[in-house]
Coordinates of all heavy atoms in Angstrom, one line a residue:
F299 N -30.7 -5.4 -0.9 CA -30.1 -4.8 -2.1 C -29.6 -3.4 -1.7 O -28.4 -3.0 -2.0 CB -31.0 -4.7 -3.2 CG -30.5 -4.0 -4.4 CD1 -29.7 -4.6 -5.4 CD2 -30.7 -2.6 -4.7 CE1 -29.1 -4.0 -6.4 CE2 -30.2 -2.0 -5.7 CZ -29.4 -2.6 -6.6
T300 N -30.4 -2.7 -1.0 CA -30.0 -1.3 -0.5 C -28.8 -1.5 0.5 O -27.9 -0.7 0.5 CB -31.1 -0.6 0.2 OG1 -32.2 -0.6 -0.7 CG2 -30.7 0.8 0.6
F301 N -28.9 -2.5 1.3 CA -27.8 -2.8 2.3 C -26.5 -3.0 1.6 O -25.4 -2.4 2.0 CB -28.1 -4.0 3.1 CG -27.2 -4.4 4.2 CD1 -27.5 -3.9 5.5 CD2 -26.1 -5.2 4.1 CE1 -26.6 -4.2 6.6 CE2 -25.3 -5.5 5.1 CZ -25.5 -5.0 6.4
S302 N -26.5 -3.8 0.5 CA -25.3 -4.1 -0.3 C -24.8 -2.8 -1.0 O -23.6 -2.5 -1.0 CB -25.5 -5.2 -1.4 OG -26.0 -6.4 -0.7
A303 N -25.7 -2.0 -1.6 CA -25.3 -0.8 -2.2 C -24.8 0.2 -1.2 O -23.8 0.9 -1.5 CB -26.6 -0.2 -2.9
G304 N -25.2 0.2 0.0 CA -24.8 1.1 1.1 C -23.3 0.7 1.4 O -22.4 1.6 1.5
R305 N -23.1 -0.6 1.5 CA -21.7 -1.0 1.8 C -20.7 -0.6 0.7 O -19.6 -0.3 0.9 CB -21.6 -2.5 2.1 CG -22.2 -2.9 3.5 CD -21.6 -4.2 4.0 NE -21.9 -4.3 5.4 CZ -21.8 -5.3 6.1 NH1 -21.4 -6.5 5.6 NH2 -22.1 -5.3 7.4
L306 N -21.2 -0.8 -0.6 CA -20.4 -0.4 -1.7 C -20.0 1.1 -1.7 O -18.9 1.5 -1.9 CB -21.0 -0.8 -3.0 CG -20.3 -0.6 -4.3 CD1 -19.0 -1.5 -4.3 CD2 -21.1 -1.0 -5.5
I307 N -21.0 1.9 -1.4 CA -20.9 3.3 -1.4 C -19.9 3.7 -0.3 O -19.1 4.6 -0.4 CB -22.2 4.1 -1.3 CG1 -22.9 3.8 -2.6 CG2 -22.0 5.5 -1.0 CD1 -24.4 4.3 -2.6
F308 N -20.1 3.1 0.9 CA -19.3 3.5 2.1 C -17.8 3.1 1.9 O -16.9 3.5 2.6 CB -19.8 2.9 3.3 CG -20.9 3.7 4.0 CD1 -22.3 3.3 3.9 CD2 -20.6 5.0 4.5 CE1 -23.3 4.1 4.5 CE2 -21.6 5.7 5.1 CZ -23.0 5.3 5.0
I309 N -17.6 2.1 1.0 CA -16.2 1.7 0.7 C -15.5 3.0 0.1 O -14.3 3.3 0.5 CB -16.1 0.6 -0.3 CG1 -16.5 -0.7 0.3 CG2 -14.7 0.4 -0.9 CD1 -16.6 -1.9 -0.7
F310 N -16.1 3.7 -0.8 CA -15.6 4.9 -1.4 C -15.6 6.1 -0.4 O -14.6 6.9 -0.3 CB -16.3 5.3 -2.6 CG -16.2 4.2 -3.7 CD1 -17.2 3.4 -3.9 CD2 -15.1 4.1 -4.5 CE1 -17.2 2.4 -4.9 CE2 -14.9 3.2 -5.5 CZ -16.0 2.3 -5.7
L311 N -16.6 6.2 0.4 CA -16.7 7.3 1.4 C -15.6 7.1 2.4 O -15.0 8.1 3.0 CB -18.0 7.3 2.1 CG -19.2 7.7 1.3 CD1 -20.5 7.7 2.1 CD2 -19.0 9.2 0.7
A312 N -15.2 5.8 2.7 CA -14.2 5.6 3.7 C -12.8 6.2 3.3 O -11.9 6.5 4.1 CB -14.0 4.1 4.0
R313 N -12.6 6.3 1.9 CA -11.4 6.9 1.4 C -11.4 8.4 1.5 O -10.3 9.1 1.4 CB -11.2 6.5 -0.1 CG -11.0 5.0 -0.2 CD -10.8 4.6 -1.7 NE -10.5 3.2 -1.9 CZ -9.2 2.8 -2.0 NH1 -8.2 3.7 -1.9 NH2 -8.9 1.6 -2.2
C314 N -12.6 9.0 1.7 CA -12.7 10.5 1.6 C -12.9 11.0 3.0 O -12.5 12.2 3.3 CB -13.9 10.9 0.7 SG -13.9 10.2 -0.9
L315 N -13.6 10.2 3.9 CA -13.9 10.7 5.3 C -13.1 10.0 6.3 O -12.8 8.8 6.2 CB -15.4 10.6 5.6 CG -16.4 11.3 4.7 CD1 -17.8 10.9 5.0 CD2 -16.2 12.8 4.7
F316 N -12.8 10.7 7.4 CA -12.1 10.1 8.5 C -13.1 9.1 9.2 O -14.4 9.4 9.2 CB -11.6 11.1 9.6 CG -10.5 11.9 9.1 CD1 -10.7 13.3 8.8 CD2 -9.2 11.4 8.9 CE1 -9.6 14.1 8.4 CE2 -8.2 12.2 8.5 CZ -8.4 13.5 8.3
V317 N -12.6 8.1 9.7 CA -13.5 7.1 10.4 C -14.3 7.7 11.5 O -15.4 7.3 11.8 CB -12.7 5.9 10.8 CG1 -11.8 6.2 12.0 CG2 -13.7 4.6 11.2
R318 N -13.7 8.7 12.2 CA -14.4 9.4 13.3 C -15.6 10.1 12.8 O -16.6 10.3 13.5 CB -13.4 10.4 14.0 CG -12.3 9.7 14.7 CD -11.2 10.7 15.0 NE -10.5 11.2 13.8 CZ -9.6 12.1 13.7 NH1 -9.3 12.7 14.9 NH2 -9.1 12.5 12.6
I319 N -15.6 10.6 11.5 CA -16.7 11.3 11.0 C -17.7 10.3 10.4 O -18.9 10.4 10.5 CB -16.3 12.2 9.8 CG1 -15.2 13.3 10.3 CG2 -17.4 12.9 9.2 CD1 -15.7 14.2 11.4
L320 N -17.2 9.2 9.8 CA -18.0 8.2 9.2 C -18.9 7.5 10.2 O -20.1 7.3 9.9 CB -17.1 7.1 8.5 CG -17.7 6.4 7.3 CD1 -18.1 7.3 6.2 CD2 -16.7 5.3 6.9
I321 N -18.4 7.2 11.4 CA -19.2 6.5 12.4 C -20.4 7.5 12.9 O -21.5 7.0 13.3 CB -18.3 6.1 13.6 CG1 -19.1 5.0 14.3 CG2 -17.9 7.2 14.5 CD1 -18.2 4.2 15.4
I322 N -20.1 8.7 12.9 CA -21.2 9.7 13.3 C -22.2 9.8 12.2 O -23.5 9.9 12.5 CB -20.6 11.1 13.6 CG1 -19.6 11.0 14.8 CG2 -21.6 12.1 13.8 CD1 -18.9 12.3 15.1
V323 N -21.8 9.8 11.0 CA -22.8 9.9 9.9 C -23.7 8.7 9.9 O -25.0 8.8 9.7 CB -22.1 10.0 8.5 CG1 -23.0 9.8 7.3 CG2 -21.4 11.3 8.4
E324 N -23.1 7.5 10.0 CA -23.9 6.2 10.0 C -24.9 6.2 11.2 O -26.0 5.8 11.1 CB -22.9 5.0 10.0 CG -22.2 4.9 8.7 CD -21.1 3.9 8.8 OE1 -21.0 3.2 9.8 OE2 -20.3 3.8 7.9
S325 N -24.3 6.5 12.4 CA -25.1 6.4 13.6 C -26.2 7.4 13.6 O -27.4 7.1 14.0 CB -24.3 6.6 14.9 OG -23.3 5.6 14.9
G326 N -26.0 8.6 13.1 CA -27.0 9.6 13.0 C -28.1 9.2 12.0 O -29.3 9.4 12.2
G327 N -27.7 8.6 10.8 CA -28.7 8.2 9.8 C -29.6 7.1 10.4 O -30.8 7.1 10.1
I328 N -29.0 6.2 11.2 CA -29.8 5.1 11.8 C -30.8 5.7 12.8 O -32.0 5.3 12.8 CB -28.9 4.1 12.5 CG1 -28.0 3.3 11.4 CG2 -29.7 3.1 13.3 CD1 -27.0 2.4 12.1
A329 N -30.3 6.7 13.6 CA -31.2 7.2 14.6 C -32.3 8.0 14.0 O -33.5 7.8 14.4 CB -30.4 8.2 15.5
V330 N -32.1 8.8 13.0 CA -33.1 9.5 12.3 C -34.2 8.7 11.6 O -35.4 8.8 11.8 CB -32.6 10.6 11.3 CG1 -33.7 11.3 10.5 CG2 -31.7 11.6 12.1
S331 N -33.7 7.7 10.9 CA -34.5 6.9 10.1 C -35.4 6.0 11.1 O -36.5 5.6 10.8 CB -33.8 5.9 9.2 OG -32.8 5.1 9.9
S332 N -34.8 5.5 12.2 CA -35.5 4.8 13.2 C -36.7 5.6 13.8 O -37.8 5.0 13.9 CB -34.6 4.3 14.4 OG -33.6 3.5 13.9
V333 N -36.5 6.8 14.1 CA -37.5 7.7 14.7 C -38.7 7.9 13.6 O -39.8 7.8 14.0 CB -36.9 9.0 15.1 CG1 -38.0 10.0 15.5 CG2 -36.0 8.8 16.3
L334 N -38.2 8.1 12.4 CA -39.2 8.3 11.3 C -40.1 7.0 11.1 O -41.2 7.1 10.8 CB -38.5 8.7 10.0 CG -37.9 10.1 10.1 CD1 -37.2 10.3 8.8 CD2 -38.9 11.2 10.3

């Protein structure tokens, strides 16, 4: 459910952020949450 909500939210974020920024935000979030 969170996965689906994330994709829905990133649909709107993709309109506001450059894809070069978006890929850094996603990768950084995965890295931090994995370590935690």
Side-chain angles (χ1 to χ4, degrees):
F299 177 81
T300 306
F301 187 91
S302 301
R305 285 206 164 167
L306 185 62
I307 291 172
F308 276 110
I309 289 176
F310 297 101
L311 290 179
R313 294 178 174 271
C314 307
L315 299 175
F316 292 111
V317 69
R318 293 164 292 174
I319 304 299
L320 207 58
I321 198 169
I322 295 174
V323 171
E324 293 169 6
S325 299
I328 292 173
V330 172
S331 58
S332 298
V333 172
L334 293 177

